[in-house]
Amino acid sequence: MEKFVINGGRKLKGSVKVDSAKNAVLPMIAAAVLTEEETVIKNCPPIGDVVKMTEILRSCGAKTAFCDGNLIINARDISINSVSEKLCGSLRTSVLMLGALAGRTGGAAVYRPGGCNIGKRPVDIHLYALKTLGSSVYDESDRIICCGKPSGGDVYLDFPSVGATENALLASVTAKGVSRIFNPAKEPEIEDFVGFLNAMGAKVYGAGSSCIRVEGVKRLHGAEYTPIGDRIEAGTYLIASAITGGEIAVEGVNAENISSLTGKLCDNSCQISVGNGIIYQKSIRERKAFDTETGPYPSFPTDLQAQITSLAAVSEGTSVIRENVFETRFGHVSELVKMGADIAVDGRTETVRGVKKLYGAVVSAKDLRCGAAMVIAGLAAEGQTIVLGAHHVERGYYGMHKKLAELGADIRGV
Ligand code: EPZ
């Protein structure tokens, strides 16, 4: 998809079901390398990043296939434990192949990972974790090499990095000894990833707490697993409804996982209720400014910061939004200003002065969540908005424009 064409002004109405969480599915695909048996990840959306991870696994000798909405992986014939520069450069999660391949084959070589341009995104914490777990790690200018099967150990993460927590888990589940990961990420996707590993026969305890304990096992077996719903996809649609003054129901996600967002939407303009696992949102008054700041879970998620900035842009008063996770996650600001928003960025803080309305324009999806923010702004803007770079959005959302059209939006993909 090249671009989205949106004619703004329609209130969203109806119900939408989210897919499995992208950021839970991606580490699960890496973990499939740890067993010679077949694994099945159910309700797996064939979004860009998921397809890329299957290409990485196939390049190492695994077989993968999408069948009836499920992803089937068979990594019996892993014969290569290195990943090409092109594939590594295509997404952040390629770095997880270090822990996965080292755990399976005793060695791994990858190139620096790609991913959204939202900050420096070093991998120092990943490499510290792998070293501490017993591998020898060689960090060359562009390549990273891991030698030796991890033997286990105590890992103290300086920052609760999601990816580094996942790499440490991948390296420790089949290590000889016991491992402990202190200050791990607590995101729901981490707990779900641990659920998948334990379904494969791993012995991982304490996910969601300040210390995860792993008792290494000799081997892992296959598993069939249904990941949790995507809380960021759900949050994106809730914000889209709020900015249009709409009323929607969102199915397939645990409301507790996005309580930081639903609280803000209530401050802004909405009534939110939950029943039978469905989140009901209704716009009940004029949008009002709000403050928030992102942080590791359970703080407000950085992956919804761009989207809620679009909402703040047309909320009466001044909103202050601070981005504490990625130092340059502000690509959406210049694009929103093109549509008439009044936003100033100082360091990591956005000051958003609400304007009466935004106006349609040609804008760019500079990264995945920037793209989502531009679609949201286009839904509320007067006139037509064209969002270029729609492929960025398709890396993380399956059929976003179709789901929004079913909710009444005037949007098409070209
Ligand atoms: C994961 O990225 C997610 N991606 C991101 O979602 C999400 O924004 C992020 O976690 C935070 O929740 C996937 O799960 C595929 P981090 P990750 O390691 O693992 C610094 C999206 O839009 N850091 O928790 O890369 C890093 O620079 C994507 O779906 C180091 O300094 O995030 C950043 O400032 C975007 N050294 C902070 O920690 C390291 O070794 C958080 O990074 C690792 C990270």
Side-chain angles (χ1 to χ4, degrees), residues 26 94 117 158 224 298:
L26 293 172
S94 58
N117 180 15
D158 283 344
E224 196 170 291

Short mmCIF file of all heavy atoms in Angstrom, two decimals, residues 26 94 117 158 224 298:
data_model
loop_
_atom_site.label_atom_id
_atom_site.label_comp_id
_atom_site.label_asym_id
_atom_site.label_seq_id
_atom_site.Cartn_x
_atom_site.Cartn_y
_atom_site.Cartn_z
N LEU A 26 6.17 -11.34 17.82
CA LEU A 26 7.52 -11.27 17.24
C LEU A 26 8.54 -12.06 18.06
O LEU A 26 9.30 -12.88 17.50
CB LEU A 26 7.94 -9.82 17.04
CG LEU A 26 7.14 -9.07 15.97
CD1 LEU A 26 7.48 -7.58 15.97
CD2 LEU A 26 7.37 -9.67 14.58
N SER A 94 15.04 -8.48 14.85
CA SER A 94 16.09 -9.39 14.33
C SER A 94 17.15 -9.63 15.41
O SER A 94 17.77 -10.69 15.47
CB SER A 94 16.74 -8.79 13.09
OG SER A 94 17.31 -7.50 13.40
N ASN A 117 12.65 4.79 13.19
CA ASN A 117 13.66 5.81 13.46
C ASN A 117 13.14 6.74 14.57
O ASN A 117 12.64 7.82 14.32
CB ASN A 117 13.90 6.61 12.15
CG ASN A 117 14.94 7.69 12.38
OD1 ASN A 117 15.64 7.67 13.40
ND2 ASN A 117 15.00 8.64 11.47
N ASP A 158 19.97 -2.40 33.54
CA ASP A 158 19.98 -0.98 33.97
C ASP A 158 18.64 -0.32 33.66
O ASP A 158 18.18 0.56 34.37
CB ASP A 158 21.08 -0.21 33.19
CG ASP A 158 22.46 -0.51 33.77
OD1 ASP A 158 22.50 -1.03 34.91
OD2 ASP A 158 23.46 -0.25 33.07
N GLU A 224 1.12 -25.01 20.78
CA GLU A 224 0.11 -24.28 20.02
C GLU A 224 -0.37 -23.18 20.97
O GLU A 224 -0.71 -23.49 22.13
CB GLU A 224 -1.03 -25.23 19.66
CG GLU A 224 -1.92 -24.69 18.56
CD GLU A 224 -2.90 -25.74 18.06
OE1 GLU A 224 -2.44 -26.71 17.42
OE2 GLU A 224 -4.09 -25.58 18.36
N PRO A 298 3.74 -0.13 33.99
CA PRO A 298 2.39 0.25 33.55
C PRO A 298 2.19 1.73 33.27
O PRO A 298 1.05 2.19 33.22
CB PRO A 298 1.54 -0.18 34.75
CG PRO A 298 2.43 0.09 35.94
CD PRO A 298 3.83 -0.20 35.48
#
